[in-house]
Amino acid sequence: MSKPITTASGIPVADNQNSASAGVRGPLLLQDFHLIEKLQHFNRERIPERVVHAKGSGAYGIFTVTHDISRYTKAKLFAAVGKQAETFVRFSTVGGEKGSADTERDPRGFALRVYTEEGNWDLVGNNTPMFFIKDGIKFPDFIHTQKRDPQTNLKSATMMFDFWSKAPESLHQVTMLFSDRGTPDGYRHMDGFGSHTFSLINAAGERVYVKWHLKTQQGIRNLAAADAVRLAGEDPDYAQRDLFGAIERGEFPRWDVKLQVATEEQLAEWEARTGWNPFDLTKVWPHKDFPLIPVGVLELNRNPLNYHAEVEQAALSPANVVPGMGYSPDKMLQARLFAYHDAQLYRLGTNHQHLPVNAPRCPFHNQQRDGAMAIANGGAEQNYHTVEAGGSQPQGLGHGEPALALHGGAGRYDGRGQEDDYTQAGNLFRLLPEQEKQNLFANLAGPMSQISDEIINRQLGHFDKADPAYGAGVRAALKARGRNIG
Ligand code: HEM
């Protein structure tokens, strides 16, 4: 039987098809509160979309610890093999708006939340182990080049390649973006990466640095560029449909969660040998230097019931690490530690952590009170903290973390021209099978054939430095499109 319709205050609605009017023809009556409430709420349905990663899909699941890493971290989640915790994951594209196509060439967000007994651990990563830039101060500029031109309101290959060609540190990720990995076949067939260097702290207060990896058990599958373009028209919600449908059918996607681990001394030795800063997000830690160790399994097995409440209003942040975990000096990570909560205060409001998808699944106590939409407002608990008071005492974030040694004085350091932006990009290029190299050339030549000779030449210079065959291949692909660049 259908449920009776009520107002938001629970009052049964007499008639939801005919507004109350003065006479058969109207005008309408101000006292038709149900009509007014209905129109008012409709007018307020939209909230700001995420400034990046606006188009996304979410699902709940379970994280299971399969291997003992308690020698590295005292996080209670990892205290015993077999421990489980509930999770939420939101996948996304980056540059497009909330209604944009799922198959766009773009990195994919892979944002994992684990509801641990010590609070929410969020690993807000991508499907790529590196990023385009290494300093968060460039992030708004970079993202603007991925959005719309301020005058034409069109996406612009000129803006993108102007930026990339003047930021050679982007070459590593540009190479991945224009390879087949730039158009994954839905969200189930791609890996996830925490990307940054994070840290773990054990019960003895010792720190190691780590990188998190999520390896798809479904196998990597990418879309051919032409199929991605076709699907953008035929089924712009392709990845959402694929994920939701698979979970409804009981085909629960799984990822093996793995770690690269290094001590501070090992990283210092590696940096001396390679010249690469281990906290530079445009670089990876090669597996041969830091092999993957197994940690656990992530399974997604439950679709949210309500997209807006649970996926759109999800608010994940890389700042959310639990005791036994820590950050690193990575300048990108440091900027992100500020950016997410701030964005969510604007996008969702002061008390967004009270929403069910965001609230921790463990007891929590603080002295934050009131503000719009306060739901979990502390009840009758004391609303101030003193050292002497018997209430909750600080013991979480940073607790027992060893001091971080600093290098050099406070200042702005420009590493341009001194850092190696090319070797790892070249290594990635050389790893690609021949057909994938050809795809890379063609995928780059598409947008590059629309831009000026000056920008093309600057970008080709970077490809040449990564590998002469890389530059030659893109030149040939450009020539095939009628752009004959020397
Ligand atoms: C979302 C900022 C770099 C992955 C966001 C949001 C902001 C932001 C403001 C929207 C948050 C929200 O409204 O909930 C930044 C800044 C960066 C940066 C300032 C650089 C300094 C990165 C990097 C990665 C990443 C390097 C991946 C390794 C994501 C993901 C989301 C996101 C996956 C979507 C989270 C979700 O699904 O709700 N970013 N970001 N971002 N960012 Fe970043």
Side-chain angles (χ1 to χ4, degrees):
M1 208 183 85
S2 65
K3 296 176 184 159
I5 296 176
T6 68
T7 65
S9 303
I11 303 162
V13 169
D15 187 341
N16 196 35
Q17 295 296 312
N18 304 292
S19 34
S21 56
V24 178
R25 300 244 163 121
L28 302 183
L29 301 184
L30 184 60
Q31 70 175 29
D32 189 351
F33 178 71
H34 170 57
L35 165 71
I36 290 169
E37 186 184 78
K38 193 171 173 181
L39 293 176
Q40 283 174 324
H41 195 277
F42 179 70
N43 286 349
R44 289 162 178 77
E45 279 180 7
R46 293 289 168 270
I47 61 170
E49 61 178 37
R50 289 168 178 79
V51 63
V52 280
H53 296 261
K55 177 78 186 290
S57 303
Y60 296 99
I62 294 286
F63 178 78
T64 307
V65 177
T66 55
H67 292 75
D68 182 14
I69 59 162
S70 59
R71 63 193 177 283
Y72 299 127
T73 177
K74 64 183 176 192
K76 290 190 181 148
L77 169 67
F78 298 110
V81 169
K83 278 197 83 166
Q84 294 194 314
E86 289 183 49
T87 66
F88 172 80
V89 170
R90 183 174 177 274
F91 301 107
S92 50
T93 55
V94 180
E97 296 87 1
K98 193 169 177 289
S100 59
D102 284 345
T103 59
E104 298 264 330
R105 181 170 303 285
D106 208 0
R108 299 293 185 271
F110 194 135
L112 164 68
R113 163 165 292 160
V114 185
Y115 299 95
T116 88
E117 64 215 87
E118 298 174 289
N120 293 349
W121 166 39
D122 294 345
L123 188 70
V124 190
N126 277 345
N127 69 332
T128 57
M130 77 298 270
F131 200 69
F132 299 93
I133 49 174
K134 56 177 84 181
D135 189 328
I137 201 167
K138 289 188 174 191
F139 187 77
D141 301 292
F142 164 61
I143 291 298
H144 285 172
T145 72
Q146 305 294 302
K147 300 271 186 185
R148 293 172 185 279
D149 176 279
Q151 181 178 23
T152 62
N153 201 34
L154 298 169
K155 296 265 177 114
S156 161
T158 293
M159 294 191 336
M160 295 180 195
F161 281 92
D162 185 36
F163 182 91
W164 285 329
S165 65
K166 290 171 180 162
E169 70 269 30
S170 64
L171 187 63
H172 197 191
Q173 171 119 29
V174 166
T175 304
M176 184 159 251
L177 178 64
F178 285 88
S179 77
D180 293 356
R181 296 248 177 154
T183 48
D185 186 349
Y187 297 129
R188 294 184 294 144
H189 296 280
M190 61 181 206
D191 290 343
F193 301 87
S195 306
H196 298 280
T197 301
F198 287 92
S199 51
L200 293 179
I201 298 111
N202 67 14
E206 295 157 341
R207 173 170 40 227
V208 288
Y209 286 107
V210 297
K211 283 186 186 275
W212 291 96
H213 298 247
L214 298 105
K215 294 282 178 198
T216 174
Q217 288 189 7
Q218 289 68 242
I220 298 271
R221 216 163 71 190
N222 300 309
L223 294 167
D227 289 334
V229 171
R230 177 179 55 76
L231 282 166
E234 288 179 1
D235 187 3
D237 305 314
Y238 177 80
Q240 165 77 16
R241 193 180 314 285
D242 177 71
L243 180 69
F244 191 90
I247 292 174
E248 284 303 287
R249 292 192 301 275
E251 294 166 28
F252 301 142
R254 291 195 188 91
W255 285 262
D256 292 317
V257 180
K258 300 191 174 196
L259 266 184
Q260 286 178 291
V261 182
T263 61
E264 215 158 323
E265 296 70 37
Q266 284 172 321
L267 289 182
E269 183 279 322
W270 182 74
E271 183 169 5
R273 182 159 47 86
T274 62
W276 295 322
N277 168 4
F279 306 112
D280 172 352
L281 185 57
T282 65
K283 305 291 187 299
V284 295
W285 293 0
H287 292 187
K288 69 173 169 39
D289 295 330
F290 303 102
L292 290 176
I293 64 165
V295 176
V297 173
L298 166 69
E299 175 183 275
L300 297 181
N301 55 20
R302 181 161 64 89
N303 279 317
L305 287 179
N306 187 284
Y307 183 87
H308 182 86
E310 297 165 74
V311 184
E312 192 60 18
Q313 294 197 125
L316 292 100
S317 166
N320 288 340
V321 296
V322 298
M325 299 181 172
Y327 311 129
S328 83
D330 177 337
K331 291 181 186 176
M332 287 286 288
L333 175 61
Q334 293 283 321
R336 294 182 72 201
L337 298 180
F338 161 77
Y340 287 66
H341 183 58
D342 184 61
Q344 291 147 5
L345 290 172
Y346 167 71
R347 181 168 72 82
L348 300 166
T350 309
N351 285 312
H352 63 84
Q353 285 124 317
H354 297 192
L355 296 167
V357 67
N358 297 326
R361 306 272 168 92
C362 63
F364 61 98
H365 307 277
N366 59 43
Q367 288 74 39
Q368 295 170 11
R369 292 292 183 274
D370 309 347
M373 307 296 159
I375 303 163
N377 206 31
E381 278 183 27
Q382 184 171 300
N383 62 355
Y384 63 94
H385 174 250
T386 64
V387 175
E388 292 79 18
S392 63
Q393 297 297 325
Q395 56 184 349
L397 213 62
H399 181 69
E401 191 168 339
L404 180 74
L406 302 180
H407 305 279
R412 295 178 191 274
Y413 294 93
D414 184 354
R416 273 177 307 164
Q418 299 154 37
E419 292 172 5
D420 169 15
D421 295 320
Y422 299 106
T423 306
Q424 288 207 357
N427 289 346
L428 174 60
F429 170 77
R430 287 180 283 276
L431 260 177
L432 296 176
E434 188 49 37
Q435 183 55 52
E436 291 189 31
K437 285 196 178 101
Q438 295 302 323
N439 297 347
L440 170 69
F441 303 148
N443 294 340
L444 279 162
M448 284 183 72
S449 63
Q450 303 164 27
I451 64 183
S452 70
D453 283 6
E454 185 195 336
I455 301 177
I456 293 183
N457 271 317
R458 202 163 45 230
Q459 187 65 33
L460 284 174
H462 299 315
F463 297 146
D464 288 339
K465 283 190 192 156
D467 193 309
Y470 192 173
V474 179
R475 271 188 193 81
L478 281 166
K479 196 170 175 189
R481 288 180 168 263
R483 294 298 294 273
N484 205 349
I485 308 283

